C-alpha cells in the first residue's frame, strides 16, 4: 500500500488541442472581458449609452428613439397621455402596453418564481417577482434594451443585423470601436450586444435614473416635513386596513438603510378594467394575461399566473398621464379611486353584458378570477363603504406627489423639494434641483 504523498506521480495528460479545448464559461457573456483588449470604462459606456438612447436613426421610421417613450423630462416615462405609445415602421402603430418609467430599477433582479426578500426572514416565499417589462420576461437591463429595437410596434428593426448596420453608420461609431474593438462591426451580434450593454450602463447613471431628490427623500434626511395632508396620506398609504399600498409599494427604508423604491417588484393581479380603446382589444377573445402570455410564452402553462403584472415603482407617479399596464386611467386620482372602490362599486369601473349586468374583472377570463388580489383596500362587498373616502383619496394623492424628483418639478418648486446633498445608505449625494439631461436637438 502506497503512503500518501509518496506515490509516483501520474503521467500528465496530453495538452488539449485547440479543437478539443473546453470553452470557458464566460465566453459570450455580456460582461465578459475580451483577452488582449482593455475593458471599456463605465464613463465610456454611459456616454455611448446616452447617445444610443437618444438616437432616432436606429428606428425603422427614423423618428423614434428610446427617449420617445422614456423621456427624461417625464421621469424617463411617456411624455404624453396616450394609453400606449405609437411606433412601428410607420410611426403610427400602437404598442401593446403602456410605457413604464425607467427610473429606480437599479436593484431590480432577474425574474424568479420563488423570491425571498432580504428582510431578515428568508423563509417567506414572495412568489413570482422581478424581471424587466410588465411581465418580467427580460432578465437584465441589456436584455430589456434589446426588445424595443426589434419590436414591430416600437423601433421595428427586422433583425439585429439591421440595428448593427445603423450603428456602424452612426456619428458615434468610432467611439463604439474605441470601446469594443476595431473589428466590432464585423460581427452583427457583437455590435448589437455592445449597444445593449452601453444602454444598460447608461441606465445605471444615478443622476439620470435614481437621483433620490424628491420631497419625501428630504423628509427621510430630516431636512423637510410633510404638510398635514401629505402626512395623513402617508398614514393612509401605510395603514393595512385602509390604503394598504405599502404592502406592495414599500415605503420604509430597507433593513440595511437604503431609501425605499416604493415597489417590491412583485407580480400581482388587481383586475384592471378592459381598455376598449386599444387596438388589440377590438377582438373580444383577446386578453393580455401578463405573466402567462401572450407576449411572454415560457409560463403559458401556469394558469395561476394569468392576470399578474409587475408592481411598478410609485416614485414620480404624479408626472404620469396614463396608469396601469393598459393605460386605462388618465389621472392619479382616478387610479387611487379604482383601488378604493373596485369591489364596493364595480359598476363604475367595468363593462356590462348584453343584459346590462356589470361584468367584474372584464379583462380577465373567468377561470382566472381566483388569481385577483382581494386584500385591502380590496375585498368589500358591492354597496359597502369604500376603503377610502374622497377626502382620503385626495390625501393619498397629496402624499404621492411628494415622490416626484426635483428635476420633474417646475423650477420654482424644485429647490424646495431637495434642499441638501445629504446622503443615505443606498443613495448617493445629489446636487439640489438636478435637471435631467437632454440633447439640444432631442425629441
Amino acid at each position: 500500500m502506497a503512503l500518501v504523498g509518496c506515490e509516483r506521480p501520474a503521467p500528465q495528460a496530453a495538452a488539449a488541442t485547440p479543437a478539443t479545448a473546453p470553452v470557458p464559461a464566460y465566453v459570450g457573456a455580456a460582461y465578459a472581458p475580451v483577452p488582449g483588449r482593455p475593458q471599456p470604462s463605465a464613463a465610456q459606456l454611459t456616454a455611448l449609452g446616452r447617445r444610443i438612447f437618444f438616437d432616432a436613426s436606429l428606428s425603422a421610421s427614423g423618428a423614434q428613439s428610446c427617449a420617445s417613450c422614456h423621456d427624461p423630462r417625464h421621469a424617463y416615462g411617456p411624455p404624453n397621455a396616450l394609453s400606449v405609445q405609437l411606433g412601428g415602421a410607420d410611426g403610427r402603430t400602437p404598442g401593446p402596453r403602456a410605457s413604464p418609467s425607467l427610473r429606480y430599477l437599479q436593484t431590480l433582479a432577474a425574474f424568479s418564481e420563488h423570491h425571498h426578500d432580504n428582510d431578515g426572514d428568508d423563509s417567506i416565499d414572495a412568489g413570482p417577482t422581478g424581471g424587466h417589462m410588465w411581465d418580467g420576461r427580460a432578465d437584465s437591463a441589456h436584455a430589456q434594451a434589446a426588445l424595443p429595437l426589434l419590436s414591430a410596434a416600437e423601433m421595428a428593426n427586422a433583425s439585429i443585423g439591421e440595428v448593427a448596420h445603423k450603428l456602424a453608420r452612426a456619428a458615434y461609431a468610432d467611439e463604439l470601436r474605441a470601446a469594443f474593438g476595431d473589428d466590432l462591426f464585423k460581427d452583427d451580434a457583437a455590435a448589437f450586444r455592445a449597444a445593449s450593454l452601453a444602454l444598460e450602463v447608461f441606465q445605471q447613471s444615478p443622476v439620470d435614473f435614481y437621483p433620490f431628490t424628491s420631497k419625501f427623500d428630504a423628509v427621510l434626511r430630516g431636512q423637510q416635513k410633510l404638510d398635514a395632508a401629505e402626512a395623513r396620506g402617508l398614514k393612509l398609504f401605510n395603514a393595512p386596513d385602509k390604503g394598504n399600498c405599502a404592502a406592495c409599494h414599500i415605503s420604509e427604508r430597507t433593513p440595511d438603510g437604503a431609501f425605499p423604491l416604493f415597489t417590491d417588484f412583485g407580480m400581482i393581479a388587481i383586475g384592471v378594467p378592459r381598455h376598449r380603446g386599444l387596438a388589440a382589444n377590438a377582438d373580444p377573445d383577446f386578453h393580455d394575461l401578463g405573466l402567462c402570455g401572450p407576449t411572454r410564452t415560457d409560463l403559458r402553462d401556469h394558469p395561476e399566473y394569468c392576470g399578474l403584472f409587475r408592481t411598478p415603482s410609485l416614485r414620480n407617479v404624479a408626472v404620469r398621464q396614463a396608469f396601469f399596464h393598459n393605460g386605462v386611467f388618465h389621472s392619479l386620482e382616478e387610479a387611487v379611486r379604482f383601488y378604493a372602490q373596485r369591489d364596493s362599486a364595480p359598476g363604475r369601473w367595468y363593462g356590462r353584458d348584453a343584459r346590462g349586468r356589470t361584468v367584474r374583472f372584464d379583462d380577465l377570463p373567468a377561470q382566472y378570477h381566483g388569481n385577483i388580489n382581494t386584500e385591502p383596500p380590496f375585498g368589500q362587498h358591492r354597496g359597502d363603504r369604500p376603503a377610502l373616502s374622497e377626502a382620503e383619496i385626495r390625501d393619498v394623492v397629496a402624499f404621492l406627489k411628494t415622490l416626484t424628483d426635483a428635476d420633474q418639478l417646475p423650477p420654482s418648486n424644485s429647490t424646495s423639494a431637495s434642499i441638501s446633498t445629504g446622503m443615505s445608505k443606498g443613495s448617493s449625494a445629489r446636487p439640489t434641483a438636478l435637471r435631467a439631461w437632454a440633447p439640444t436637438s432631442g425629441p
Side-chain angles (χ1 to χ4, degrees):
M1 182 173 66
L3 298 174
V4 174
C6 297
E7 307 96 310
R8 295 179 65 185
Q12 291 188 348
T17 64
T20 61
V23 177
Y26 64 79
V27 171
Y31 309 105
V34 177
R37 193 185 78 215
Q39 284 286 88
S41 69
Q44 272 182 294
L45 293 175
T46 299
L48 278 168
R50 191 187 299 276
R51 297 191 71 175
I52 294 169
F53 193 88
F54 289 95
D55 187 357
S57 74
L58 297 180
S59 65
S61 67
Q64 184 176 37
S65 69
C66 303
S68 298
C69 299
H70 303 287
D71 190 328
R73 296 163 295 191
H74 297 267
Y76 285 88
N80 53 49
L82 294 175
S83 295
V84 296
Q85 299 302 297
L86 304 179
D90 59 2
R92 298 190 296 272
T93 302
R97 292 171 180 156
S99 296
S101 169
L102 296 181
R103 276 195 170 171
Y104 296 101
L105 302 180
Q106 69 273 18
T107 62
L108 175 58
F111 174 80
S112 171
E113 292 184 70
H114 303 283
H115 177 76
H116 297 268
D117 286 315
N118 180 24
D119 59 2
D121 186 355
D122 291 344
S123 67
I124 299 175
D125 184 350
T129 301
H132 292 259
M133 315 298 278
W134 282 102
D135 54 17
R137 67 187 185 277
D139 278 346
S140 65
H142 64 262
Q144 177 274 325
L147 295 177
L149 286 164
L150 301 175
S151 168
E154 297 178 77
M155 298 177 79
N157 290 288
S159 66
I160 62 173
E162 187 173 336
V163 178
H165 296 162
K166 290 175 180 177
L167 290 166
R169 298 192 299 269
Y172 47 85
D174 286 343
E175 287 93 321
L176 282 166
R177 293 186 186 93
F180 293 99
D182 292 338
D183 294 334
L184 176 65
F185 295 112
K186 293 181 180 179
D187 182 340
D188 290 346
F192 189 84
R193 286 196 303 270
S196 299
L197 180 59
L199 284 168
E200 176 175 31
V201 175
F202 168 55
Q203 291 178 57
Q204 295 297 316
S205 166
V207 68
D208 293 286
F209 292 97
Y210 46 106
F212 291 100
T213 55
S214 71
K215 178 177 180 178
F216 188 70
D217 295 312
V219 170
L220 292 179
R221 295 185 180 107
Q223 299 162 348
Q224 289 200 52
K225 292 184 178 181
L226 299 177
D227 67 24
E230 294 162 352
R232 291 193 302 267
L234 175 58
K235 185 176 180 180
L236 292 163
F237 186 95
N238 289 332
D241 61 339
K242 295 295 290 183
N244 198 32
C245 314
C248 297
H249 300 281
I250 300 168
S251 60
E252 301 288 337
R253 291 176 185 251
T254 64
D256 61 359
F259 279 14
L261 301 181
F262 285 85
T263 177
D264 61 2
F265 296 120
M267 299 285 179
I268 189 170
I270 61 171
V272 173
R274 188 171 181 85
H275 190 335
R276 287 170 172 76
L278 298 185
N281 288 344
D283 177 359
D285 294 325
F286 173 83
H287 294 90
D288 186 348
L289 301 178
L291 198 50
C292 78
T295 305
R296 182 167 186 164
T297 59
D298 59 321
L299 297 174
R300 58 189 171 192
D301 295 328
H302 287 263
E304 70 275 22
Y305 295 161
C306 292
L308 276 66
F309 293 87
R310 201 191 75 209
T311 301
S313 171
L314 293 183
R315 283 182 172 270
N316 295 298
V317 68
V319 308
R320 289 192 66 85
Q321 300 174 68
F323 299 86
F324 300 113
H325 70 276
N326 60 2
V328 67
F329 297 132
H330 293 278
S331 79
L332 183 54
E333 290 81 1
E334 195 73 343
V336 175
R337 190 172 290 113
F338 166 72
Y339 278 97
Q341 300 177 5
R342 186 196 74 180
D343 293 342
S344 62
R348 177 170 187 162
W349 309 106
Y350 297 109
R352 298 180 182 273
D353 64 16
R355 298 174 61 181
R357 297 172 300 187
T358 298
V359 181
R360 297 177 70 223
F361 315 133
D362 59 358
D363 204 27
L364 191 65
Q367 64 266 35
Y368 307 127
H369 285 188
N371 298 342
I372 293 176
N373 186 274
T374 57
E375 298 174 353
F378 307 127
Q380 304 95 350
H381 295 96
R382 189 192 303 254
D384 285 352
R385 178 180 296 177
L388 298 171
S389 69
E390 287 298 312
E392 289 172 330
I393 289 170
R394 290 192 294 272
D395 287 342
V396 170
V397 170
F399 166 68
L400 291 174
K401 290 180 179 179
T402 72
L403 305 182
T404 302
D405 284 319
D407 67 313
Q408 302 301 309
L409 296 171
S412 60
N413 295 336
S414 60
T415 54
S416 64
S418 183
I419 296 174
S420 174
T421 59
M423 292 183 67
S424 68
K425 187 173 181 181
S427 67
S428 303
R430 302 285 174 262
T432 301
L434 293 168
R435 304 304 302 169
W437 181 93
T440 56
S441 59

